[in-house]
Amino acid sequence: MDRLTVFRKRIEATSVIAKKSTRHRRNGNLTEIQTRYLEEIQVLARKGGLPESEWKSITKYDRQVCYELDCLESALEIMAATNFTVDPCESSTWAGIRNDSNGFLFALAILEDRSGLHENDFLWNEAKNHYYQCKHKARADDQDVKDIMSYTEQYGNWPILTNRDPGEVFNWLEMVADLNRFERPGFSPYLLKVVVPEFMKELGPIEFNIGRAVVHVSTNDLQKMLTLVQQKIGRNKPVRIDQIPAMVTFMASVSGSTVVQEKATLMSIAEFQNKTDTYMSDQNITMNVNWLNFFTRVFRGSESIKVSPELKINVSFSPIMNVISSVNTFQQSNDKKDTWAIANILHFQLVSLLLQESTVLLDDMNSFRCVELSGDRSEICLARVKDVFGYALGATYVKTYYDDRKTTPAIKILMNDIKESYIDVIDKTKWMKNTTREFLKDKIRSIKTVIGYPKWIKKPKQLQEFFHGLELSPLKNSSYPKNYIAVNTWRVAKRRSWSHKYSNITAWKGFPLYDVEWNHYSATVQAQYHKAINEARIEAGVLQAPIFGINRPGINAICFVRFMNFGGLGMVIAHEVGHSFDIIGRMFNKDGESDKEYWDEESLTKYFEWVKEIAEQYGTEPYGVSETSAETVDPWKTINEDIADILAVYISYHSYQTYLKNLEAKGEKEKILPGLQRFSPQKLFYMKYANMWCDNKDVQSKFRDLLSDHSSGNTRATLPLKYSKQFARAFECKLLTS
Ligand SMILES: [Zn+2]
């Protein structure tokens, strides 16, 4: 934990006092909590290299300085992130570390809350327990194995452990259907696979194809795993390793027959059944294959997918028939090891999936290592919890951290300021012809802004309706495998239903994103602009420190230390609006149509000259990806983000300047922060901006940045300022010309 976090935690512990006692007393006596803040600010200022003459007086009362909580918090943030010894005109990394507040931490804060505040929130206890059980998967391994094995009894005997026939209840196609109700990274159901195209990624009909042909496990690991299972369930029977060769032969047979490549054909389930029946009778296959039953089973709980003989599916027919043939051949064999092979493999796939999820028993085995989720367990589990409980946790988040009455109007004002600045700047852009200018102004004015979260998540009934069918225990000592199965099958069914419902969208118009996205978690630190609907969305998650502050005293509707908000959130909003000017965004009109060219030729030529200039600037930025090499990014890959960044800093600063002028006209001034008296509000705006983006990343993360369509944080922090006249003026630098 960094120093700032430790300090905040300590302060939080006494937050009741903090809230009551931050207003300074008239006689200049500072309260205990204010003094604690100032001491911390002082330590950080010293560390950041602020001259002694300046840090020494931080703890002494100064009539000019603002000591309200928001000012102290703002000063703390700036001090923690700034290296005062670098020359902003020279150095390319003139602000230090980036702040640590993000959606990950906030989601975690909600789940780890012990105040009892959320006890009655919908699904909060369940989400919390799911996170806990996922994170501590080693917690009850012995019991988990027993629970898993009792769950799989519904599929009959597992021959390799019992040396008994799988029995009447075993139906290979039903078990394959059930495996298709599981989703986990690295997992693909054996033999046959159903895919519902994911909304926002691809659209189209349901696909049916062959699944995984080979289950990769070494004989050694297979024996180890099976022996462990026998032990844990207390069954004193040998693992029938003599059944392994038949399993291997079966897999070879399936994988050999699935090499057939075929373009999928769209057909109804009835047509598919007919074709299958014909194929089977031609091949003398007497097995019972009922596709209607199969798909009904796969899509149980996916309300919007109406399984009927008429349902159209994109089928890879021949490969699927080859699988049927292989299964048939083995089931017809006179050797029971052959007839048991398929049950052995299907059981293995299901049991190993559940063991990997809920125990650590397989973690050391090589066969499972490469398919096991790697990375920080907290992050894996948190991502899962967000994906499953998104709306419910989002409701708790906005209830706790989001103030509808204050924040929403404040963001509307800020958005309006930004729009006005864009319009002002467009008006002053000499190279633009009138027709294009009017077109753009109209488009900016028409941008719709969605703020915070989808409103319906605050309605308990609708929330309950969304989560209908999800049944799991909130108790710590409940069975994790059982809870996992409940969560996973609910999520898969519900999500498929969700995706399918919107699989026919050909035009975005009239579909507010909030309504069509899956389980969107509103605490995500994110803002977006959607060209095709001319809509900007500012998530509740982005409306928090260090990007934005609202729940603090001040003279305005919006948080009063405005440079913090203009340098932070203002820039973010201006960036999103800026996407309407990027090389793709500019092609759309205010209604999201892009059927013709809306710009005049002359303005377009000038626009591309400007874009080219930006690309040249970014194209020369070296990325230090290792100690010995520096690469430059392909500027045309990041160009849309770069355009949005360049515009964002310019416009947000323009808005802030306008704000300062208005303040001055009213005889007011921006507040002065402890230790930062020397810095003009203009300078502080840029310092705040840079703080948001500067980062100290490791080589791997830097390389990942290099591959992304955003420029790296450090480039975002510095490049838009390097060529900025406004910045040069604020810091009295000589202007670089490209
Ligand atoms: Zn962007």
Side-chain angles (χ1 to χ4, degrees), residues 527-529 531 572 575-576 578-579 582 640-642 644-645 709-710 716:
Q528 293 150 302
Y529 171 75
K531 305 165 170 77
V572 173
H575 172 101
E576 297 312 329
H579 274 305
D582 71 28
N640 287 328
E641 294 303 332
D642 299 339
D645 276 350
D709 57 4
H710 284 87
R716 299 184 77 175

XYZ file of all heavy atoms in Angstrom, residues 527-529 531 572 575-576 578-579 582 640-642 644-645 709-710 716, ligand 1:
151
model
N -15.696 6.235 -19.337
C -16.581 7.155 -20.040
C -16.470 6.776 -21.507
O -15.438 6.277 -21.937
C -16.165 8.595 -19.817
N -17.532 6.948 -22.238
C -17.516 6.528 -23.647
C -18.261 7.523 -24.516
O -19.129 8.247 -24.043
C -18.233 5.172 -23.799
C -17.545 4.022 -23.156
C -18.558 2.981 -22.719
O -19.460 3.241 -21.943
N -18.414 1.776 -23.248
N -17.901 7.498 -25.805
C -18.705 8.231 -26.785
C -19.091 7.244 -27.878
O -18.244 6.492 -28.362
C -17.922 9.397 -27.389
C -18.640 10.034 -28.554
C -19.749 10.859 -28.333
C -18.249 9.780 -29.863
C -20.441 11.415 -29.399
C -18.945 10.337 -30.931
C -20.040 11.155 -30.696
O -20.716 11.696 -31.755
N -20.423 6.919 -31.525
C -20.614 7.681 -32.756
C -21.967 7.425 -33.383
O -22.630 8.335 -33.859
C -19.542 7.274 -33.775
C -18.136 7.407 -33.246
C -17.146 6.660 -34.144
C -15.714 6.990 -33.777
N -15.210 6.310 -32.580
N -11.642 14.243 -19.286
C -12.237 12.956 -19.690
C -13.472 13.193 -20.575
O -13.629 12.575 -21.629
C -12.614 12.109 -18.449
C -13.389 10.859 -18.858
C -11.365 11.727 -17.666
N -12.508 14.565 -23.865
C -11.913 13.490 -24.674
C -13.025 12.710 -25.390
O -12.937 12.433 -26.577
C -11.098 12.557 -23.768
C -10.607 11.309 -24.449
N -9.320 11.166 -24.904
C -11.243 10.143 -24.745
C -9.176 9.972 -25.454
N -10.329 9.323 -25.366
N -14.073 12.378 -24.650
C -15.161 11.605 -25.263
C -15.830 12.405 -26.372
O -16.084 11.889 -27.456
C -16.175 11.159 -24.205
C -15.613 10.215 -23.143
C -14.798 9.058 -23.721
O -15.090 8.612 -24.841
O -13.847 8.607 -23.046
N -14.447 14.639 -28.009
C -13.425 14.727 -29.050
C -13.474 13.564 -30.033
O -13.065 13.699 -31.186
N -13.990 12.444 -29.569
C -14.099 11.294 -30.478
C -15.066 11.571 -31.631
O -15.014 10.897 -32.651
C -14.521 10.035 -29.720
C -13.352 9.301 -29.121
N -12.285 8.893 -29.887
C -13.086 8.924 -27.842
C -11.404 8.287 -29.097
N -11.853 8.299 -27.858
N -12.748 12.473 -34.359
C -11.637 11.637 -34.817
C -11.910 11.167 -36.240
O -12.966 11.474 -36.810
C -11.337 10.502 -33.817
C -12.402 9.411 -33.770
O -13.080 9.186 -34.789
O -12.544 8.773 -32.699
N -6.972 7.985 -33.374
C -8.265 8.468 -32.888
C -8.205 8.870 -31.420
O -8.788 9.873 -31.007
C -9.340 7.400 -33.104
C -9.714 7.277 -34.568
O -9.670 8.269 -35.302
N -10.045 6.080 -35.010
N -7.477 8.096 -30.639
C -7.314 8.433 -29.225
C -6.469 9.688 -29.070
O -6.728 10.529 -28.202
C -6.680 7.260 -28.466
C -7.560 6.013 -28.403
C -8.920 6.287 -27.779
O -9.015 7.206 -26.949
O -9.890 5.596 -28.148
N -5.443 9.797 -29.910
C -4.561 10.960 -29.823
C -5.299 12.252 -30.176
O -5.136 13.278 -29.511
C -3.353 10.770 -30.745
C -2.527 9.544 -30.353
O -2.659 9.108 -29.183
O -1.778 9.016 -31.189
N -8.467 12.746 -29.804
C -9.360 13.029 -28.677
C -8.581 13.643 -27.511
O -9.064 14.568 -26.851
C -10.079 11.759 -28.240
N -7.355 13.164 -27.277
C -6.538 13.710 -26.185
C -6.129 15.156 -26.455
O -6.229 16.021 -25.574
C -5.265 12.872 -25.996
C -5.513 11.646 -25.120
O -6.607 11.557 -24.522
O -4.611 10.786 -25.026
N -4.767 0.567 -28.487
C -5.078 1.684 -29.382
C -5.092 3.030 -28.659
O -5.442 4.045 -29.228
C -6.370 1.442 -30.177
C -7.553 1.191 -29.279
O -7.379 1.279 -28.041
O -8.645 0.905 -29.793
N -4.694 3.009 -27.382
C -4.453 4.262 -26.669
C -2.941 4.455 -26.591
O -2.205 3.488 -26.478
C -4.981 4.201 -25.234
C -6.466 4.321 -25.132
N -7.307 3.235 -25.219
C -7.265 5.392 -24.951
C -8.557 3.643 -25.091
N -8.563 4.946 -24.930
N 0.328 10.225 -22.973
C -0.902 11.000 -22.830
C -0.682 12.178 -21.883
O -1.274 13.236 -22.056
C -2.032 10.108 -22.308
C -2.354 8.953 -23.234
C -3.535 8.158 -22.750
N -4.796 8.844 -23.022
C -5.989 8.319 -22.790
N -6.093 7.122 -22.272
N -7.083 8.989 -23.066
Zn -10.954 7.449 -26.199
